[in-house]
Amino acid sequence: MAKVSTAIVGKNIKSIRESIGLSQKDFSILVGVSRASLIKIEAGSTGYRLNLLDGIIDFTKFNLSELSKMNFSLPDNYRDKLIRVYEEDVTVGVILNQQPTLVYCIKYSLLNSQFLKEPKEIRQITKFFADKGWVFSGNSIQIALKRMTDIIVIKKHESKGNTNTYSKFWYVYLNERIF
């Protein structure tokens, strides 16, 4: 496999893992590869055997041709679909039914909702997740959101000195352009 191909495959596998809401550790357990191998695959490293992808292909139901596409896209609600596929498998079910990763919760729940249309404080975002049964510390959420400055706008609160507000980039951009 050429270097460009391993980079594309790795990026697509990482997208799949994140869309399922699994850590590298849990995903590696489900697909039957070591975490170290998964890290190499996701990084697009060369030097791994293609048979390492067999477990990933089998579990995710995507073939190598699909994983090699530059314009790879995941079906909506992919996590929910996998949960239904593996509902009879106790081992897979236990892992898939755990709380998803924070990145998943932000990308596939928070950002897909209208919640950040208006600026929100961390305590409000923490409650948004808690209402879904997901428990994350405010500090963890802040750190994750600060890594997403391409899609999240962070501003100082107008009246609370040490407090930030968070909103979805697109809504902030639209409001500034309209008004």
Side-chain angles (χ1 to χ4, degrees):
M1 195 175 351
K3 188 172 185 173
V4 173
S5 295
T6 59
I8 292 168
V9 169
K11 177 180 153 286
N12 292 339
I13 289 171
K14 183 176 181 179
S15 294
I16 291 169
R17 179 181 59 77
E18 287 179 346
S19 76
I20 303 170
L22 295 176
S23 66
Q24 288 176 328
K25 176 186 168 202
D26 287 339
F27 189 70
S28 67
I29 291 168
L30 292 177
V31 300
V33 301
S34 70
R35 184 169 176 264
S37 294
L38 181 61
I39 290 169
K40 285 181 182 178
I41 292 168
E42 286 187 358
S45 300
T46 56
Y48 63 83
R49 294 178 184 246
L50 282 177
N51 67 344
L52 278 179
L53 300 177
D54 289 345
I56 295 169
I57 290 167
D58 185 49
F59 177 75
T60 64
K61 309 303 183 204
F62 291 108
N63 61 44
L64 186 56
S65 174
E66 292 171 300
L67 293 176
S68 300
K69 290 181 180 176
M70 179 93 68
N71 59 349
F72 176 79
S73 66
L74 290 155
D76 290 338
N77 302 317
Y78 182 60
R79 176 185 169 92
D80 295 333
K81 290 175 183 174
L82 271 183
I83 288 171
R84 284 192 298 277
V85 166
Y86 290 104
E87 65 188 346
E88 301 295 321
D89 188 318
V90 176
T91 305
V92 174
V94 166
I95 293 174
L96 283 178
N97 287 306
Q98 292 178 43
Q99 174 174 292
T101 62
L102 179 54
V103 170
Y104 170 88
C105 295
I106 291 170
K107 285 184 176 180
Y108 296 96
S109 183
L110 184 65
L111 293 176
N112 282 339
S113 73
Q114 300 291 314
F115 188 74
L116 290 182
K117 186 175 183 176
E118 300 295 326
K120 302 289 194 246
E121 297 176 30
I122 284 297
R123 65 177 175 77
Q124 295 169 297
I125 297 170
T126 302
K127 184 176 178 342
F128 173 88
F129 290 141
D131 289 346
K132 297 185 175 298
W134 303 327
V135 179
F136 300 104
S137 73
N139 192 42
S140 296
I141 297 169
Q142 281 181 311
I143 291 168
L145 292 174
K146 285 179 181 177
R147 292 180 180 155
M148 299 180 179
T149 56
D150 56 328
I151 51 179
I152 299 290
V153 175
I154 304 170
K155 292 186 175 180
K156 289 284 184 198
H157 195 284
E158 292 175 4
S159 59
K160 298 178 182 177
N162 289 333
T163 303
N164 288 330
T165 60
Y166 303 83
S167 52
K168 197 170 174 180
F169 179 79
W170 179 247
Y171 294 118
V172 172
Y173 176 76
L174 272 180
N175 286 336
E176 290 176 355
R177 301 273 301 168
I178 292 172
F179 300 106

